[in-house]
Amino acid sequence: MPTDDMIRASHADREHTVAVLRDGYTAGRLTLAEFDDRTTAAFASRTWGELRRLTRDLPAGPRPSGGRHPAAGRPGRAGRAAGTACAGTAPVLLLSLFWLALSVAVHAADVLIPAVLLLLIVVWSAARFRPR
């Protein structure tokens, strides 16, 4: 019977491991060379066990605890990522709205450009923040 170290890792598991490595590097726990080597190994990893070995000596890393999913080490991470993505979209959205209003006010022929940009932002936001 295989242990959970043999379970295949997903893209989300690899991304979580890289985030833990990034946190370790920014906290001064890893050198740039170690961070680079471990990040490369994380993207090449195939199992949870391989990912755990990369973060075993870091405090925020996934801990082997019998059946615990590696990405479960940091609860609430998805909520923070969604909030930062929304914050990055707000200036673009405001500029697009201003551009559209200005184009309409001066009866410009290029109203289609900001309208299409706004439509793309709305579609992207709907896809990114839809309930799962």
Side-chain angles (χ1 to χ4, degrees):
M1 179 130 188
T3 65
D4 66 341
D5 282 349
M6 298 305 296
I7 294 175
R8 301 281 281 190
S10 68
H11 294 299
D13 298 330
R14 290 182 198 94
E15 291 293 333
H16 172 73
T17 300
V18 170
V20 170
L21 293 170
R22 188 178 311 113
D23 291 345
Y25 173 70
T26 57
R29 292 185 174 95
L30 296 174
T31 65
L32 181 58
E34 288 174 317
F35 173 71
D36 186 43
D37 291 342
R38 291 185 190 198
T39 301
T40 302
F43 284 120
S45 294
R46 293 185 179 196
T47 64
W48 285 0
E50 292 172 1
L51 293 174
R52 283 190 178 116
R53 283 188 284 280
L54 295 172
T55 58
R56 186 175 292 155
D57 59 342
L58 299 174
R63 292 165 180 56
S65 61
R68 187 166 168 199
H69 191 279
R74 290 173 58 179
R77 185 173 189 277
R80 285 195 308 272
T84 56
C86 183
T89 306
V92 175
L93 182 61
L94 288 174
L95 285 172
S96 300
L97 285 170
F98 178 73
W99 185 12
L100 180 63
L102 188 63
S103 297
V104 169
V106 297
H107 304 289
D110 59 348
V111 173
L112 186 60
I113 296 171
V116 169
L117 182 61
L118 284 170
L119 178 65
L120 290 174
I121 290 171
V122 168
V123 169
W124 176 82
S125 297
R128 174 117 170 102
F129 302 115
R130 72 175 185 263
R132 294 184 192 246

